[in-house]
Amino acid sequence: MLNLERLRTLDALARHGSVSGAAAGLHVTTSAVSQQMTKLEREVGQQLLAKNGRGVRLTDAGRLLAEHAGRILSQVELARSDLEAQRGQAVGELRMAAFPTAARGLFPSALAALRAEHPGLRVRSQELEPEDGARAVVRGDLDLAVVLDWYNKPLPVPDGLAKAALLDDPADVALPAAHPLAGRSEASLEEFADDEWISWPAGEYCHDWLMFTLRAKDIEPRIAHAAGEHHTQLALVAAGLGVCVAPRLGRGPLPEGVRVVPLRRGMSRQIYVVWRADADRRPSIRAAVGALRRAGEQVA
């Protein structure tokens, strides 16, 4: 009989592409992954892994069994969802993630409500960038992730996920108080063509969005500084070092010396939550989505 945990290890190897990636996704050591795979090869009587340079790759038998493992684990998730739905209570463990401003703007209210309304539910949360959060839900490392679409550049969402809208989050341009446009009630993006920008780190979804948006206006971005945290970006703006995009969710009070100006044609993010479609009936999933929606209504 095939061992479910060993199939889960094989599935993680297929998805992550390496022993270290599988170990990180499963929250175990690399030696534990290797041991599970050795035992699984012994069970099936075939070689599932082969050396590939300094790493490993799945053999034909390994890929075949990994395909079955993915379907088996999906059926297990469906069974878990159905059993939890039959019991009708949000209990057990729920793993959630959100990008930083959503974690700051939504999680305190939503997680406090879940604790009060569902004492048998243990929630673990963390911050993850939108693309990383969506991939972690697909892999089964998370149950839900709060992600976003920019108004002109949707986030690619993998197949097999369900989603629910939480709120629309307007964004402004933050600029130093001494900036010539600081007193304006609105501005156009083209008016910032000669400014230096403070962006997110290169490679992140929001950085790529900013590059795409500015270039669509025939503005070649002049990125002076990069920071992952919006509060850090605003501190750099306060020091007169550039301008940045400042979404309103989780923004809090502006630092001294910073002004915000809305764009004439508007700029916003659509915030939503994703989860595996095969877990759709779990009461814990539904409870969390409801709590996040109520938290979104409070800040919208």
Side-chain angles (χ1 to χ4, degrees), residues 25-40:
L26 295 170
H27 306 289
V28 299
T29 63
T30 54
S31 62
V33 170
S34 298
Q35 290 170 17
Q36 289 283 58
M37 290 305 302
T38 298
K39 292 177 181 178
L40 184 58

Side-chain angles (χ1 to χ4, degrees), residues 113-136:
L114 286 172
R115 172 175 286 186
E117 296 165 10
H118 305 283
L121 184 64
R122 301 184 304 279
V123 180
R124 293 168 50 196
S125 71
Q126 61 179 298
E127 290 185 356
L128 276 181
E129 289 302 314
E131 290 177 306
D132 295 333
R135 286 193 292 263

Side-chain angles (χ1 to χ4, degrees), residues 172 180-188 191 248 260-264:
D172 308 304
L181 301 177
R184 295 272 292 274
S185 60
E186 62 178 16
S188 66
E191 291 179 272
R248 297 177 191 176
V260 291
V261 176
L263 288 182
R264 187 169 293 119

Side-chain angles (χ1 to χ4, degrees), residues 3-300:
N3 179 280
L4 186 61
E5 286 308 309
R6 289 164 200 157
L7 290 179
R8 196 180 304 278
T9 301
L10 176 62
D11 178 68
L13 265 170
R15 287 186 283 101
H16 290 278
S18 68
V19 172
S20 59
L26 295 170
H27 306 289
V28 299
T29 63
T30 54
S31 62
V33 170
S34 298
Q35 290 170 17
Q36 289 283 58
M37 290 305 302
T38 298
K39 292 177 181 178
L40 184 58
E41 287 181 327
R42 191 178 304 128
E43 284 179 349
V44 300
Q46 295 191 60
Q47 184 179 359
L48 303 176
L49 295 179
K51 289 186 177 180
N52 184 29
R54 299 179 66 179
V56 295
R57 62 173 177 81
L58 294 178
T59 63
D60 289 344
R63 286 194 296 271
L64 177 63
L65 186 55
E67 292 174 5
H68 285 289
R71 290 192 291 270
I72 291 168
L73 293 170
S74 180
Q75 285 299 122
V76 170
E77 183 61 43
L78 282 170
R80 178 187 175 193
S81 179
D82 286 345
L83 286 170
E84 195 174 314
Q86 186 182 53
R87 184 167 47 186
Q89 295 179 337
V91 296
E93 183 177 86
L94 191 71
R95 301 157 299 168
M96 302 170 57
F99 56 95
T101 51
R104 182 165 58 247
L106 298 176
F107 272 7
S109 174
L111 300 188
L114 286 172
R115 172 175 286 186
E117 296 165 10
H118 305 283
L121 184 64
R122 301 184 304 279
V123 180
R124 293 168 50 196
S125 71
Q126 61 179 298
E127 290 185 356
L128 276 181
E129 289 302 314
E131 290 177 306
D132 295 333
R135 286 193 292 263
V137 174
V138 171
R139 293 195 304 264
D141 299 338
L142 291 173
D143 298 300
L144 302 101
V146 178
V147 298
L148 64 92
D149 286 335
W150 279 101
Y151 69 103
N152 58 343
K153 195 175 192 298
L155 175 76
V157 175
D159 293 336
L161 298 185
K163 61 189 289 187
L166 300 178
L167 74 153
D168 287 343
D169 179 32
D172 308 304
V173 176
L175 57 165
H179 193 284
L181 301 177
R184 295 272 292 274
S185 60
E186 62 178 16
S188 66
L189 196 57
E190 290 87 344
E191 291 179 272
F192 297 96
D194 295 328
D195 281 281
E196 292 186 325
W197 285 85
I198 298 160
S199 177
W200 295 265
E204 289 190 4
Y205 168 64
C206 288
H207 171 87
D208 294 344
W209 163 79
L210 181 61
M211 302 298 99
F212 169 83
T213 301
L214 292 174
R215 285 169 178 156
K217 298 289 187 180
D218 293 324
I219 301 170
E220 185 54 36
R222 297 170 59 203
I223 306 301
H225 307 282
E229 263 289 334
H230 283 191
H231 286 180
T232 304
Q233 294 180 9
L234 291 173
L236 294 169
V237 172
L241 300 173
V243 302
C244 76
V245 174
R248 297 177 191 176
L249 177 64
R251 187 161 74 193
L254 291 171
E256 186 71 25
V258 174
R259 303 291 184 268
V260 291
V261 176
L263 288 182
R264 187 169 293 119
R265 295 184 180 177
M267 178 167 54
S268 65
R269 312 182 296 180
Q270 289 74 51
I271 314 299
Y272 56 100
V273 58
V274 297
W275 64 95
R276 285 173 63 109
D278 54 20
D280 195 56
R281 295 185 61 203
R282 288 177 57 191
S284 57
I285 296 285
R286 297 189 176 192
V289 171
L292 287 166
R293 277 180 160 164
R294 293 193 297 274
E297 290 169 359
Q298 293 172 12
V299 299

